[in-house]
Amino acid sequence: MPLDLSQIRAVSLDLDDTLWPVWPTIARAETALQDWLHQHAPATQMLCAQPDARLALRAQAARSLPGSAHDMSALRQEAIRLALLQAGDDPQLASAAFEVFLAERQRVELFEDALPALEFLSRRYPLVALSNGNADVSRIGLQHFFAASVGAHEVGCAKPDARMFQRAADRVDVAASQVLHIGDDALHDGVGALAAGMQMAWLNRAAKPWEHAPWEPHLIVAGLDALCIHLADA
């Protein structure tokens, strides 16, 4: 079914890999964390430099915090705490260490089409940031574009759970059917939004095939600039 522009009263927007590439951001944050640990907890830094150890710590953190798979910050901080314990360093350093990671996590490099799209969309609709991750539009400096921000940690679940999308609609006082969700992940953004009753625009920068029939996005675009062109007549 094609996009019905007349029904759109608000827009929810994924963040990671929609407005900026996430993995370069995470890599920089990991490096900042390792540098901090090298100064303050060198034994932990040596432990965390081992890929297998990092994976084991993440798995242990998930077991330590059952029911928190949706909370990236809690899991990350717990993994740091466990690493400090295992290495014989002070586990009370976990909070400070995590803040180093999180601060660098907010230093994103926007896709070229992201800022013009935010300016365009925010002039026409209330925008809701909707993310499974721990990016913070306020700390990034994009808060003036958004009427609200919804994260998995506050809802208690993650996309594609319909409760995430419903919370976004509720935050701007519209029905889910009146929201257009924009995101890059075919399952978490695409199927999640469609199952929640929203219209959905799939940002498919890499020209991937859609593999989630019978669900179908209302619009597929290769960039946010193309999306704005499509919405210009709304």
Side-chain angles (χ1 to χ4, degrees), residues 85-196:
L85 275 173
Q86 186 171 325
D89 288 319
D90 183 358
Q92 293 187 0
L93 291 173
S95 179
F98 172 69
E99 182 52 40
V100 169
F101 173 89
L102 189 62
E104 190 66 24
R105 168 75 167 93
Q106 313 309 321
R107 294 182 64 248
V108 302
E109 295 182 6
L110 296 173
F111 287 120
E112 186 175 349
D113 58 5
L115 194 57
L118 287 170
E119 293 170 345
F120 173 91
L121 292 167
S122 63
R123 288 196 300 266
R124 288 162 172 78
Y125 309 103
L127 301 186
V128 183
L130 185 60
S131 178
N132 283 352
N134 49 16
D136 184 334
V137 293
S138 295
R139 294 182 67 168
I140 291 168
L142 299 175
Q143 69 276 9
H144 54 289
F145 292 115
F146 291 93
S149 181
V150 174
H153 66 282
E154 68 176 83
V155 182
C157 60
K159 296 180 294 183
D161 193 299
R163 289 172 290 177
M164 283 283 287
F165 298 92
Q166 187 59 55
R167 179 70 63 88
D170 291 344
R171 290 291 299 275
V172 286
D173 297 318
V174 299
S177 61
Q178 296 175 306
V179 179
L180 170 65
H181 181 68
I182 303 164
D184 72 287
D185 191 289
L187 173 61
H188 294 151
D189 292 302
V191 174
L194 294 166

Side-chain angles (χ1 to χ4, degrees), residues 72-96:
M72 296 296 101
S73 290
L75 290 172
R76 170 72 65 167
Q77 185 162 330
E78 177 65 3
I80 295 171
R81 188 188 71 82
L82 291 169
L84 289 161
L85 275 173
Q86 186 171 325
D89 288 319
D90 183 358
Q92 293 187 0
L93 291 173
S95 179

Side-chain angles (χ1 to χ4, degrees), residues 203-209 222:
L203 178 61
N204 185 16
R205 296 185 187 274
K208 297 178 182 179

Side-chain angles (χ1 to χ4, degrees), residues 25-57:
T25 305
I26 297 298
R28 289 192 299 272
E30 294 276 12
T31 298
L33 173 60
Q34 290 296 307
D35 290 345
W36 189 92
L37 289 171
H38 180 72
Q39 294 181 15
H40 300 276
T44 302
Q45 188 274 325
M46 291 181 64
L47 175 63
C48 291
Q50 305 170 35
D52 289 347
R54 290 199 302 271
L55 289 173
L57 287 163

